[in-house]
């Protein structure tokens, strides 16, 4: 959103999506007075309980644990936590409609998925300076909408499952230097397209739905196996898939635009 002149303020209330928030607008300052953002229905972290657990209700400004309709913001302004803090999902699965992790130019914020799953029904945004850490390989991060990462995603060896049911969502990563490990799509009726190059250090599994390199034809750097099943469709557009592991890689279900192999490992097509 851009607005450089004029009087008064345009207010966006309870917005969602990868481009919402102060970090994505362009007006007369940062923060400015021409564009403003407000989240009256939001769940904000105040750390008033044990200070670390997602499922401790007293850690939220609402004194209620987020639910499937919640808009969650891990930041510094509203909750009043100016210092760096860490939130742990480690006893009970966490669910939310939208999740935004944004340090707003302040101290570090880290969300650890370490002992239970995280399900975001709509959009996930990791802003610059923020960290999402997938600590426990047994846990799954499930995303129904957009994935936007301009901060840090510590992928560990876990699975990110994209499970939208309709529409088109965008996966914008921190580049190939900030990869996923396992990526799986169970998204019948939905399309996921890339908004940047993507690195996948583990296995890509496309069970259902459409996975596309996007209109700009971004590239995929795959270091593990590639498995496109009968219910899934990969749309290569003009992108290149690089299979770059020094170990063996199995490649099943394939229609590529550009196909590149590097490393000494054997690539087996089936």
């Amino acid at each position: 959103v851009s607005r450089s002149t004029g009087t008064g303020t345009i207010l966006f209330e309870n917005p969602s999506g990868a481009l919402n928030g102060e970090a994505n607008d362009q007006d007369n300052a940062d923060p400015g007075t021409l564009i403003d953002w407000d989240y009256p229905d939001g769940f904000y972290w105040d750390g008033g309980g044990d200070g670390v657990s997602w499922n401790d209700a007293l850690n939220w400004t609402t004194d209620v644990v987020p639910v499937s309709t919640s808009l969650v913001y891990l930041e510094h302004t509203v909750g009043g936590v100016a210092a760096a803090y860490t939130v742990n999902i480690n006893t009970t699965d966490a669910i939310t409609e939208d999740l935004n992790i944004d340090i707003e130019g302040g101290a570090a914020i880290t969300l650890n998925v370490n002992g239970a799953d995280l399900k975001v029904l709509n959009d996930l945004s990791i802003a610059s300076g923020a960290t999402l850490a997938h600590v426990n390989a047994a846990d799954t991060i499930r995303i129904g909408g957009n994935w936007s990462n301009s901060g840090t995603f510590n992928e560990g060896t876990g699975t990110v499952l994209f499970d939208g049911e309709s529409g088109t969502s965008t996966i914008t990563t921190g580049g190939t230097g900030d990869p996923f490990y396992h990526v799986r799509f169970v998204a019948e009726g939905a399309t996921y397209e890339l908004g940047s190059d993507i690195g996948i250090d583990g296995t890509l599994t496309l069970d259902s739905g459409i996975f596309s390199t996007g209109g700009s034809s971004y590239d995929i750097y795959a270091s593990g196996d590639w498995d496109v099943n009968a219910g899934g469709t990969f749309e290569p557009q003009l992108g290149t898939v690089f299979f770059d592991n020094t170990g063996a890689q199995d490649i099943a279900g394939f229609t590529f635009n550009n196909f590149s192999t590097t490393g000494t490992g054997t690539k087996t097509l089936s």
Side-chain angles (χ1 to χ4, degrees):
V1 180
S2 177
R3 183 180 182 226
S4 58
T5 60
T7 59
T9 302
I10 296 175
L11 175 64
F12 293 91
E13 189 169 283
N14 290 323
S16 64
L19 296 179
N20 91 85
E22 181 67 37
N24 296 297
D25 74 28
Q26 297 179 8
D27 59 355
N28 57 339
D30 188 16
T33 59
L34 298 178
I35 301 172
D36 198 11
W37 308 81
D38 189 27
Y39 306 88
D41 296 337
F43 281 59
Y44 296 86
W45 187 262
D46 63 15
D50 67 3
V52 294
S53 298
W54 177 287
N55 284 293
D56 184 338
L58 296 180
N59 284 325
W60 301 96
T61 53
T62 54
D63 287 340
V64 176
V65 175
V67 295
S68 61
T69 56
S70 302
L71 309 177
V72 171
Y73 304 93
L74 299 178
E75 45 81 85
H76 291 295
T77 303
V78 176
V81 183
Y85 64 88
T86 296
V87 179
N88 292 322
I89 299 171
N90 58 4
T91 56
T92 304
D93 293 349
I95 189 169
T96 178
E97 181 177 346
D98 288 303
L99 174 58
N100 295 272
I101 314 172
D102 188 351
I103 69 168
E104 303 172 312
I109 298 172
T110 299
L111 175 61
N112 289 327
V113 180
N114 185 19
D117 292 352
L118 168 63
K119 182 173 179 62
V120 181
L121 295 176
N122 198 4
D123 301 329
L124 168 70
S125 176
I126 311 166
S128 178
T131 300
L132 173 62
H134 201 163
V135 180
N136 191 326
D139 304 327
T140 300
I141 298 174
R142 305 169 69 102
I143 306 295
N146 298 304
W147 172 288
S148 176
N149 176 23
S150 55
T152 300
F153 174 54
N154 293 333
E155 74 278 10
T157 55
T159 298
V160 175
L161 171 62
F162 293 95
D163 60 357
E165 298 177 354
S166 63
T168 298
S169 299
T170 302
I171 302 171
T172 305
T173 75
T176 57
D178 195 357
F180 293 90
Y181 197 72
H182 297 311
V183 174
R184 184 181 178 191
F185 296 90
V186 182
E188 184 175 356
T191 296
Y192 284 90
E193 62 180 26
L194 293 180
S196 66
D197 291 347
I198 184 175
I200 303 172
D201 284 353
T203 298
L204 178 139
T205 305
L206 179 51
D207 287 325
S208 59
I210 297 172
F211 176 42
S212 170
T213 60
S216 297
S217 297
Y218 292 105
D219 296 330
I220 300 171
Y221 293 79
S223 298
D225 294 338
W226 176 282
D227 190 7
V228 177
N229 294 311
T233 300
F234 174 60
E235 294 183 346
Q237 307 292 351
L238 299 178
T240 299
V241 180
F242 296 88
F243 292 93
D244 56 6
N245 201 326
T246 56
Q249 291 179 264
D250 292 327
I251 303 168
F254 46 86
T255 298
F256 299 107
N257 176 59
N258 292 319
F259 175 97
S260 175
T261 63
T262 59
T264 57
T266 300
K267 321 301 181 189
T268 302
L269 307 182
S270 60

